[in-house]
Amino acid sequence: MNKRLSLQVNNFLPLFLNIVLILFVITMASSGIFDTDIWLHLKTGKLILRDLRVPTFDPYSFTTGVKPWINHEWLFQVIVYSAYKFFDINGLICLQTLFITFAFFVLFLIGFKDKRFQISAFILSILIVYASRSRFNLRPDVLSLVFFAIFLHELKFAKVSKRIYFLLFWQVLWVNCHGYFFLGPLLILIFIISELLKRHCPYLPVQWSQLPRMEENDFKRLVRLFFLIFPVLLINPQFLNGALYPFHILKGLILGHAQFAFQHVEELAKAFYPKGNAFLGNSQFNILILITVISLLINWRKLDFTYILLFVFFTPFGFLALRNVCFLSFVCYFVIISQLELIERIAKKRVNAEVVLSKVHFPAKLIVIVIIILFIGNQSYEFLLRSYYDFDEYQLKSMLTDFIKYRYPQRCTDFILKNNLPKNLFNDFNSGSYLIFHAWPKYKVFVDGRTELYSNKFFDEYFKIMHDGDKEVFDSITERFNINTVLLNNATAHISKNALKMIYQHPGWQLVFFDEQGVVFLKKTPENFHLLKSLSVDLKKWKAPTVDILRLGLVKVAPDPYLSRARLLDILGLDAPLVSEVNEALKVSPANSLANFYLGEILFKQKNYKEALRYLRIAYVAGLDKSELRALLAKTYIKLGDKLRGMKFFKAVLKEDPKNTLANEFF
């Protein structure tokens, strides 16, 4: 009876586990649109369908001049705009879910080919979903992940048949969707090099050279595919320039032209930085790397050289930028799955317990599956409940539908368009794409996410303004480009303190718009006199919007808009309006750590140290992790005569920031 039940379960299990996995991926991939570059892709897709041609020169920015633009993502842009045009936001969310799910489905097919290892494949599949989920948004590199998975699958299972030539079709699509199309020929080359080494390299360990090789005809077919794929790369609107795009980027990397992008664009940040969310912050990714290394070490005597080459190349590639982590995760999955048979054989030899294993194998398998399914079920449920509070409408809104509007400078842009503010417009890096969709062609942008179009010198000047608050560079830039309006986005990322202070205090500029999403400044010129007269904002008289407690009800939410505005007011040293924002924030959430910190900071300035300590203590106990809080606690304790506690907090500050001025002055 047990054997019969075991057989039935084993026959049904692969299908069941695949369904569970696909549902899990669909759940994790079905989220609202939050990527900042999506607006650029939508606008360009619309432009291509309108003009029936791909733009070859940059139409969007007034700082690039008439600069050639290799738009290697045009097909993706046409697809996403078509989905948006006919199905609105739901079309984009469905497209996002479809692309991500299909990529993982193809990858899972690699793992579930052999029924003996379905549990191992299932666990690894869950691990890789978690390791890759930070990239689950609608971007062109998601399509690269789809094509990458297809190439891995076909090179493993179809390299012995003529079906391998279908990769040429996928390569045509890839070269028109994303700049990572070079990974296709590279994967083929890795398989060819591995085969050549096994055949002709006398320095390999004896066991490696004796591993099974491809039949001669199959090998020739693979080589033929490699040479056929290069003409295919020319099938793009920019022909040779389009095919050589990755080499232009590589050249820029070597010569340092892409320095700004790799230092300051989040998705291009190196994944091995201590605070990078792909390395130390992503435990699933760490585990995946560790399992891959262990599997290679266990099997080193009978290791197929292909897996070493794949791992050796894609490890530095994966750590080069956060957006590459998914590709390394897919390679790790591929390498581990391909070695499971060898690992099992070695385990059986070393652990002579086949009789015991046969008795516990079936119930143990069921227990493991049930535990994992319960875990991912709980995770999926929590994911589906994710929401944010819209204080405009006093409603909790799901993060699974619509554009996540708090991520974009919507009201700033609407204000500029409504009041017809003068050109040209200086904007921050994160606002460019949103402005392109909503304000172009009326307004061209200063900068946007297409980093390859802007020079290192341009980004150096931009960084001096945004990071250092350099007034001279700002004056030079605004004069050179005849800039009359400035938009600083506080929605996608915090506005730079130095830039905000510099422009706010600049005698030639006036604040005309202020809210949690960002600020807008207008240049003080005679031509702008009437606009300045009617739109000027005096922040010293600012009053926070009053919280409607009746409408808010008993829902537990964070007072994010109030805290965002409070941060800006704190930077500018405007205590009275800051108190106004903090008091409203505390109505929403009385124990909010950041609101209590701001209140404690103000009371400290007023030399009311006992009351300051009260609110700073609440912030500290509530878990606020800010070096500014520890420094302020240290100063407060010292002012109250408790130097020992003050010293303790200053030491903690110095551990985080050895250059901290206050702490160094104390010691």
Side-chain angles (χ1 to χ4, degrees):
M1 181 67 181
N2 285 340
K3 286 185 178 179
R4 185 180 174 187
L5 178 62
S6 175
L7 186 64
Q8 288 175 341
V9 170
N10 283 330
N11 289 334
F12 172 70
L13 206 54
L15 176 63
F16 174 71
L17 293 180
N18 266 300
I19 291 171
V20 169
L21 278 173
I22 294 303
L23 289 175
F24 181 53
V25 175
I26 288 171
T27 303
M28 301 300 281
S30 302
S31 66
I33 305 299
F34 61 87
D35 184 66
T36 53
D37 286 337
I38 188 64
W39 303 106
L40 167 70
H41 299 310
L42 289 172
K43 176 61 79 173
T44 308
K46 181 179 181 180
L47 209 62
I48 293 167
L49 290 174
R50 187 194 71 186
D51 300 340
L52 297 180
R53 65 181 183 86
V54 178
T56 53
F57 291 90
D58 171 32
Y60 300 127
S61 174
F62 63 84
T63 55
T64 58
V66 187
K67 190 166 185 176
W69 175 30
I70 300 173
N71 184 11
H72 53 281
E73 298 166 343
W74 72 271
L75 185 56
F76 169 81
Q77 291 163 344
V78 167
I79 293 169
V80 294
Y81 176 70
S82 300
Y84 183 65
K85 180 182 178 182
F86 292 108
F87 304 105
D88 201 55
I89 181 64
N90 293 323
L92 295 182
I93 293 172
C94 287
L95 208 58
Q96 172 179 277
T97 307
L98 176 66
F99 289 159
I100 294 168
T101 305
F102 186 68
F104 279 89
F105 174 72
V106 174
L107 191 72
F108 295 159
L109 287 179
I110 298 172
F112 281 83
K113 287 282 183 182
D114 194 328
K115 289 184 179 181
R116 292 174 298 169
F117 309 118
Q118 53 204 6
I119 302 297
S120 303
F122 181 65
I123 295 169
L124 274 174
S125 300
I126 297 296
L127 199 59
I128 196 174
V129 172
Y130 275 102
S132 308
R133 62 180 172 170
S134 64
R135 302 302 300 164
F136 281 17
N137 48 49
L138 190 55
R139 298 183 55 85
D141 45 296
V142 169
L143 271 181
S144 270
L145 207 58
V146 171
F147 300 130
F148 190 73
I150 290 170
F151 267 69
L152 284 174
H153 182 275
E154 294 302 283
L155 285 169
K156 184 168 179 64
F157 297 113
K159 62 186 177 186
V160 295
S161 72
K162 291 182 179 179
R163 194 180 84 194
I164 196 78
Y165 289 123
F166 277 107
L167 288 179
L168 295 172
F169 166 74
W170 294 111
Q171 188 66 60
V172 172
L173 297 180
W174 200 347
V175 77
N176 290 287
C177 285
H178 191 236
Y180 277 7
F181 61 82
F182 70 91
L183 294 178
L186 180 67
L187 283 173
I188 298 170
L189 181 62
I190 287 172
F191 275 77
I192 290 172
I193 291 172
S194 170
E195 190 65 23
L196 287 172
L197 287 170
K198 283 190 281 187
R199 291 170 180 233
H200 304 296
C201 182
Y203 304 108
L204 290 179
V206 176
Q207 294 95 331
W208 289 10
S209 57
Q210 292 175 351
L211 287 169
R213 301 173 186 174
M214 294 175 69
E215 296 291 334
E216 192 62 31
N217 287 338
D218 298 332
F219 180 63
K220 285 180 179 178
R221 189 183 298 118
L222 195 62
V223 173
R224 202 154 43 239
L225 173 68
F226 179 70
F227 286 105
L228 283 173
I229 215 161
F230 287 100
V232 164
L233 298 181
L234 299 173
I235 306 174
N236 71 83
Q238 306 227 21
F239 197 58
L240 188 60
N241 280 336
L244 294 176
Y245 174 80
F247 297 99
H248 294 314
I249 299 299
L250 182 62
K251 179 184 173 184
L253 274 172
I254 294 168
L255 298 176
H257 294 161
Q259 188 177 358
F260 173 87
F262 279 87
Q263 286 180 353
H264 302 291
V265 179
E266 184 182 353
E267 68 172 32
L268 297 177
K270 289 181 174 60
F272 54 76
Y273 281 172
K275 292 184 181 178
N277 72 327
F279 189 58
L280 294 182
N282 189 335
S283 57
Q284 295 86 9
F285 180 68
N286 298 339
I287 293 168
L288 201 57
I289 296 289
L290 184 63
I291 293 172
T292 309
V293 171
I294 291 170
S295 72
L296 291 171
L297 291 173
I298 289 173
N299 290 331
W300 73 272
R301 290 179 182 276
K302 296 185 177 181
L303 196 60
D304 191 323
F305 204 66
T306 310
Y307 307 132
I308 295 178
L309 288 179
L310 282 168
F311 189 66
V312 164
F313 173 80
F314 280 97
T315 297
F317 176 75
F319 285 122
L320 180 66
L322 288 176
R323 71 176 179 184
N324 298 346
V325 165
C326 286
F327 297 94
L328 176 55
S329 298
F330 273 40
V331 165
C332 288
Y333 182 89
F334 181 83
V335 170
I336 297 166
I337 287 294
S338 302
Q339 298 182 91
L340 284 177
E341 186 174 359
L342 278 172
I343 292 171
E344 185 189 55
R345 203 178 299 159
I346 292 167
K348 281 184 178 178
K349 283 182 181 178
R350 294 187 180 180
V351 184
N352 190 19
E354 203 163 331
V355 177
V356 176
L357 286 172
S358 63
K359 290 180 180 178
V360 301
H361 184 257
F362 178 66
K365 182 191 289 188
L366 286 181
I367 291 167
V368 169
I369 291 170
V370 169
I371 290 171
I372 293 172
I373 289 174
L374 288 173
F375 172 75
I376 64 174
N378 180 62
Q379 292 287 297
S380 300
Y381 177 71
E382 288 182 4
F383 183 83
L384 291 170
L385 290 180
R386 289 194 316 157
S387 61
Y388 68 96
Y389 197 78
D390 187 337
F391 279 88
D392 294 333
E393 300 177 22
Y394 282 88
Q395 285 183 354
L396 270 175
K397 292 193 173 179
S398 172
M399 293 182 73
L400 305 184
T401 59
D402 211 344
F403 293 102
I404 311 300
K405 74 175 191 177
Y406 67 80
R407 293 269 301 172
Y408 306 111
Q410 177 188 339
R411 287 196 287 270
C412 302
T413 306
D414 291 345
F415 175 84
I416 290 169
L417 291 168
K418 178 184 175 183
N419 293 286
N420 198 26
L421 296 191
K423 298 174 247 185
N424 285 330
L425 171 68
F426 177 97
N427 63 276
D428 62 278
F429 182 84
N430 290 317
S431 299
S433 180
Y434 188 85
L435 286 166
I436 284 170
F437 184 84
H438 292 88
W440 186 87
K442 185 174 182 179
Y443 293 91
K444 288 191 173 186
V445 298
F446 178 80
V447 66
D448 66 275
R450 298 166 300 157
T451 52
E452 69 275 13
L453 291 182
Y454 301 92
S455 67
N456 255 3
K457 182 186 174 186
F458 174 89
F459 276 126
D460 282 343
E461 291 182 319
Y462 172 81
F463 189 71
K464 283 177 182 176
I465 294 169
M466 296 303 295
H467 185 266
D468 303 332
D470 193 314
K471 182 176 178 293
E472 287 184 16
V473 176
F474 177 72
D475 288 341
S476 170
I477 286 281
T478 53
E479 188 67 32
R480 191 190 321 160
F481 292 110
N482 190 28
I483 290 168
N484 280 279
T485 305
V486 171
L487 184 157
L488 299 182
N489 169 9
N490 194 50
T492 311
H494 287 321
I495 294 175
S496 157
K497 294 181 180 180
N498 294 330
L500 178 63
K501 284 174 76 173
M502 181 269 292
I503 302 174
Y504 179 76
Q505 294 168 0
H506 197 297
W509 291 83
Q510 175 62 45
L511 182 72
V512 292
F513 179 85
F514 173 83
D515 83 351
E516 68 276 7
Q517 292 183 353
V519 293
V520 178
F521 294 93
L522 192 57
K523 194 171 187 179
K524 293 179 180 177
T525 64
E527 294 80 7
N528 297 336
F529 174 77
H530 293 292
L531 285 171
L532 288 164
K533 189 176 179 182
S534 60
L535 300 176
S536 291
V537 175
D538 184 357
L539 279 185
K540 291 176 183 176
K541 298 177 181 177
W542 176 264
K543 293 288 183 186
T546 305
V547 176
D548 189 334
I549 297 294
L550 188 62
R551 291 183 69 189
L552 181 65
L554 300 178
V555 64
K556 184 180 179 181
V557 295
D560 293 328
Y562 295 92
L563 295 175
S564 293
R565 291 190 296 269
R567 176 184 173 272
L568 301 181
L569 294 166
D570 185 47
I571 290 168
L572 299 174
L574 300 170
D575 290 349
L578 174 57
V579 169
S580 169
E581 291 287 356
V582 169
N583 285 334
E584 295 302 318
L586 290 172
K587 287 180 187 177
V588 177
S589 178
N592 183 271
S593 59
L594 193 54
N596 279 283
F597 166 72
Y598 285 135
L599 207 51
E601 183 183 45
I602 292 163
L603 288 164
F604 181 89
K605 287 180 188 176
Q606 295 171 353
K607 299 185 179 180
N608 189 348
Y609 303 123
K610 283 189 177 180
E611 278 299 294
L613 181 59
R614 175 188 161 199
Y615 290 103
L616 293 174
R617 182 184 176 279
I618 293 171
Y620 186 79
V621 171
L624 182 62
D625 187 19
K626 280 171 72 80
S627 60
E628 293 96 327
L629 170 61
R630 284 181 276 279
L632 198 54
L633 275 166
K635 288 163 67 180
T636 307
Y637 276 119
I638 289 166
K639 290 290 184 182
L640 291 170
D642 192 342
K643 288 189 177 181
L644 284 175
R645 286 192 185 178
M647 187 185 293
K648 173 189 167 185
F649 279 107
F650 268 138
K651 282 181 178 178
V653 171
L654 279 175
K655 269 189 178 180
E656 292 176 57
D657 180 14
K659 295 180 181 179
N660 186 278
T661 310
L662 286 172
N664 279 299
E665 280 177 3
F666 173 78
F667 284 107

